[in-house]
Amino acid sequence: MKFRLKLGFVSALALAAATLGARAEPVTDEMLLNDATNTKSIVTNGLGTQGQRFSPLKQVDKTNVKSLVPAWSFSFGGEKQRGQEAQALVHDGVIYVTGSYSRLYAIDAKTGDKKWEYDARLPEGILPCCDVVNRGAALYGDLVYFGTLDAQLVALHAKTGKLAWKKEIEDFKGGYSMTAAPLIVPTTAHGALILTGVSGGEFGVVGRVEARKASTGDLVWTRPVLEGLMGSMNGKDTTMTGKANESWPGDMYKFGGGAPWLGGTYDPETKLAFFGTGNPGPWNSWMRAGDNKWTSSRLAIDPETGDIKWGYQTTPHDGWDYDGVNEFISFNTKDGKKLGATADRNGFFYVLDRTDGKFLHATPFVAKISWAKEIGKDGRPVYNDDNRPGDPTKGADGKEGSQVFSVPSFLGGKNQMPMAYSQNTGLFYVPSNEWGMDIHNEPVAYKKGAAYLGAGFTIHTIFDDHIGSLKAIDPADGSIKWEYKNVAPLWGGVLTTAGGLVITGTPEGYLMVFDDKTGEVLWKFNVGTGIVAPPIAWEQDGQEMIGVAAGWGGAVPLWGGDVAKQVKDINQGGSYWVFRLPQKTAAN
Ligand code: CA
């Protein structure tokens, strides 16, 4: 009798909450950890904390995809446009998507109606390096989180968009900003933590990963990625990252960059969070002899303690701005090996043992790589020494070193746009770019808030007919199974589905669907502006929906040199598009 009463009380409360519309259905640990298989919602960046971007949906397949039609389109509005790089989340019938200039929208997933909008009030003088982008939100409990261009972490009530709390990650005047989607990780010791990295690798920032309580935003642990700096927990020192001066000269590590600006993934099987780290500061490598750990690396971090469990450096002593931030994606082989793969800015596709970081193999995924001959069996690059930009102190006037032409360009064989892994084909689908750069070094000194490069550069094409290249890569041996060439550089992420589809967007404005086995183009639709964001698929009232943010921008038009001139006529925009198969027509 008592039990019944209790139940009645709880359901009455639930009913009251639903009637008043006061609370969103809370996102739980289980929802986060099962996100890859629950098709009705998407509560993580990457469609699952491992970041595979594989949807088990197969209603839209190779035979019917040509019938896709728009369901709705939502405008981000205002005069603020520029690059839209965000992956959307879907929960409880609501889409949460971030827009340029640190905006967040809640949209009815069925109709495209706006529920609320949050505009961060950005101060004068923010220092985003590579456009005013944001790459997505995070959900936990009844809060929705995102990072802003002035380096704040914002938590809003998911139902109303009202501010719950706001924390300063760092002083934006020092070159810090935040553009990545935060990562929520359930822990035993601290409950759910929200893990973030900092942006600002071009300003000599201190790259670090931090964990805060998802409920309150209180700082739990910090992990600087530069060797010689001390981590902390609850305000007390924990362990030093590496050893001071083991891979850095003098005090260069104190503003050595390594910004983990693209965020992380979490693997529940090994209980490790994987973060990539950006370029060392300054770009001029002659000023910092040594490997400069842990810049241009992948790190496995224990979310309980913030300690580094293993590190693997893709570009030791980087001299080309080959940030190592690209996503590290967990996958298992048929015989149960726990591996991870990443397609690096430096043009090589790496496969590691994700339990201990052991190097397995690396193969080129773009043509004409010039900075290294290969990645040796020990996992270290075999450099082409004459392709490192020359030492400026040895230049004719001591101000400019010899110029070299390096491939890939500093915008990378692959940049921020995430790849996808299909559990059907066992292949990775990698959005890549084929380009090179003239680069030379100059002297430079660290100054807070000023660009810390010591380099001059211009990007050039290397093929007449294309820059972008979507590739299907077999992680067993790095072989390329098919390739789709695109005239403009690819800058949007990839989704793959159990329906046998590979979906991505182009700067030319096409959302494109490919056959996952052959690379044949099955369908395309022009959304009227460039696509530089990753698509998603979810199930809405029994229908498979495919969504993507549209809006041209990002680093290419700002830093693309010759390529920027080539794409200057692409129109800006700012909208969210959703597609589905046609509703049954009123034929009878
Ligand atoms: Ca960089």
Side-chain angles (χ1 to χ4, degrees):
M1 203 58 181
K2 234 180 184 177
F3 180 61
R4 265 196 177 171
L5 270 174
K6 223 177 192 172
L7 253 187
F9 179 64
V10 169
S11 43
L13 263 188
L15 185 68
T19 314
L20 294 170
R23 290 176 80 83
E25 185 199 353
V27 172
T28 61
D29 293 357
E30 289 67 33
M31 287 184 201
L32 292 175
L33 298 175
N34 297 326
D35 197 35
T37 51
N38 176 8
T39 55
K40 290 190 175 147
S41 66
I42 297 173
V43 293
T44 59
N45 187 47
L47 284 77
T49 62
Q50 291 180 325
Q52 290 185 344
R53 297 184 184 276
F54 172 77
S55 169
L57 287 169
K58 47 190 174 190
Q59 186 182 67
V60 183
D61 61 23
K62 293 178 192 184
T63 62
N64 63 22
V65 63
K66 59 184 179 296
S67 304
L68 277 182
V69 290
W72 52 261
S73 173
F74 171 89
S75 171
F76 294 151
E79 294 170 358
K80 295 167 174 173
Q81 296 191 336
R82 305 210 60 104
Q84 311 297 347
E85 292 187 352
Q87 181 217 298
L89 303 175
V90 187
H91 175 60
D92 207 8
V94 180
I95 288 184
Y96 300 92
V97 63
T98 57
S100 55
Y101 294 95
S102 305
R103 294 173 292 172
L104 176 60
Y105 302 87
I107 311 167
D108 187 311
K110 199 169 172 175
T111 61
D113 294 340
K114 181 158 87 176
K115 297 181 91 73
W116 54 259
E117 170 180 348
Y118 177 87
D119 287 30
R121 232 183 255 173
L122 295 171
E124 290 291 315
I126 52 168
L127 292 164
C129 76
C130 307
D131 202 4
V132 287
V133 297
N134 186 279
R135 302 195 174 90
L139 289 166
Y140 190 74
D142 55 6
L143 299 179
V144 54
Y145 312 83
F146 79 121
T148 65
L149 292 164
D150 58 339
Q152 312 278 318
L153 181 62
V154 174
L156 307 170
H157 294 287
K159 195 80 182 178
T160 60
K162 295 275 183 295
L163 186 71
W165 50 258
K166 188 160 94 165
K167 300 284 174 184
E168 184 183 76
I169 301 284
E170 247 294 359
D171 180 7
F172 72 88
K173 296 190 187 92
Y176 289 87
S177 58
M178 207 183 141
T179 51
L183 172 69
I184 312 267
V185 175
T187 68
T188 313
H190 321 283
L193 295 180
I194 181 162
L195 273 56
T196 57
V198 293
S199 303
E202 272 54 60
F203 297 95
V205 300
V206 174
R208 61 182 188 269
V209 179
E210 292 180 337
R212 289 173 164 76
K213 289 219 182 238
S215 49
T216 60
D218 293 340
L219 190 62
V220 174
W221 55 254
T222 67
R223 173 52 54 194
V225 307
L226 302 171
E227 284 197 336
L229 298 178
M230 187 63 79
S232 74
M233 186 181 299
N234 297 325
K236 294 196 183 87
D237 284 356
T238 51
T239 53
M240 185 180 278
T241 300
K243 275 189 201 142
N245 293 128
E246 200 161 69
S247 64
W248 288 91
D251 60 359
M252 297 291 285
Y253 64 95
K254 291 178 182 165
F255 25 84
W261 57 265
L262 201 47
T265 56
Y266 173 68
D267 173 33
E269 294 174 41
T270 57
K271 294 193 164 30
L272 293 172
F274 303 115
F275 278 76
T277 67
N279 62 284
W283 286 20
N284 177 354
S285 62
W286 301 95
M287 294 170 60
R288 42 172 174 77
D291 280 356
N292 315 134
K293 285 176 180 165
W294 285 106
T295 63
S296 298
S297 302
R298 303 302 183 288
L299 298 177
I301 298 175
D302 179 352
E304 301 285 344
T305 60
D307 287 340
I308 295 174
K309 288 298 173 186
W310 58 257
Y312 174 78
Q313 198 170 32
T314 41
T315 314
H317 197 223
D318 165 52
W320 304 266
D321 189 34
Y322 292 152
D323 292 48
V325 294
N326 290 353
E327 67 285 0
F328 182 78
I329 305 306
S330 299
F331 71 103
N332 293 348
T333 60
K334 285 207 181 82
D335 56 348
K337 288 198 188 77
K338 295 187 199 313
L339 308 184
T342 191
D344 200 87
R345 281 264 279 267
N346 71 19
F348 288 94
F349 181 88
Y350 295 78
V351 177
L352 310 179
D353 182 330
R354 75 178 188 271
T355 64
D356 57 8
K358 187 171 167 267
F359 170 81
L360 298 178
H361 55 86
T363 43
F365 66 93
V366 291
K368 303 187 182 186
I369 292 176
S370 67
W371 69 277
K373 294 182 185 77
E374 61 177 342
I375 307 301
K377 286 204 166 56
D378 59 355
R380 281 185 74 86
V382 181
Y383 296 98
N384 280 320
D385 288 329
D386 58 1
N387 204 241
R388 182 178 292 274
D391 183 351
T393 64
K394 300 211 170 97
D397 57 0
K399 286 185 182 151
E400 192 171 313
S402 58
Q403 177 175 288
V404 295
F405 183 75
S406 299
V407 178
S409 82
F410 68 92
L411 289 181
K414 178 183 161 301
N415 203 289
Q416 55 84 31
M417 55 286 193
M419 61 186 184
Y421 172 76
S422 169
Q423 292 177 12
N424 276 14
T425 62
L427 301 176
F428 279 90
Y429 300 97
V430 181
S432 73
N433 289 310
E434 312 264 2
W435 47 15
M437 64 177 165
D438 288 323
I439 180 168
H440 70 266
N441 285 160
E442 299 161 1
V444 67
Y446 174 75
K447 189 169 160 262
K448 185 185 170 186
Y452 187 48
L453 300 184
F457 42 81
T458 309
I459 291 183
H460 303 287
T461 56
I462 54 173
F463 292 115
D464 290 338
D465 60 341
H466 75 288
I467 302 163
S469 163
L470 178 67
K471 295 185 176 89
I473 299 180
D474 186 344
D477 57 5
S479 59
I480 294 166
K481 297 300 176 191
W482 56 258
E483 175 184 11
Y484 171 80
K485 294 173 180 172
N486 196 68
V487 176
L490 292 178
W491 211 254
V494 183
L495 171 75
T496 183
T497 74
L501 310 180
V502 175
I503 309 175
T504 195
T506 70
E508 289 90 337
Y510 284 102
L511 183 65
M512 303 192 65
V513 179
F514 303 86
D515 183 312
D516 62 357
K517 292 221 170 78
T518 65
E520 183 195 345
V521 178
L522 300 174
W523 177 83
K524 62 179 187 174
F525 181 93
N526 198 309
V527 298
T529 174
I531 297 174
V532 291
I536 57 168
W538 80 98
E539 185 188 336
Q540 182 72 45
D541 304 318
Q543 274 221 297
E544 179 175 349
M545 313 288 270
I546 294 166
V548 71
W552 171 238
V556 175
L558 296 173
W559 296 108
D562 278 358
V563 175
K565 287 177 204 154
Q566 200 174 309
V567 295
K568 70 177 171 30
D569 292 330
I570 296 176
N571 285 327
Q572 292 191 8
S575 52
Y576 203 80
W577 280 85
V578 174
F579 300 87
R580 66 179 168 209
L581 293 173
Q583 310 280 58
K584 283 214 172 76
T585 47
N588 44 355

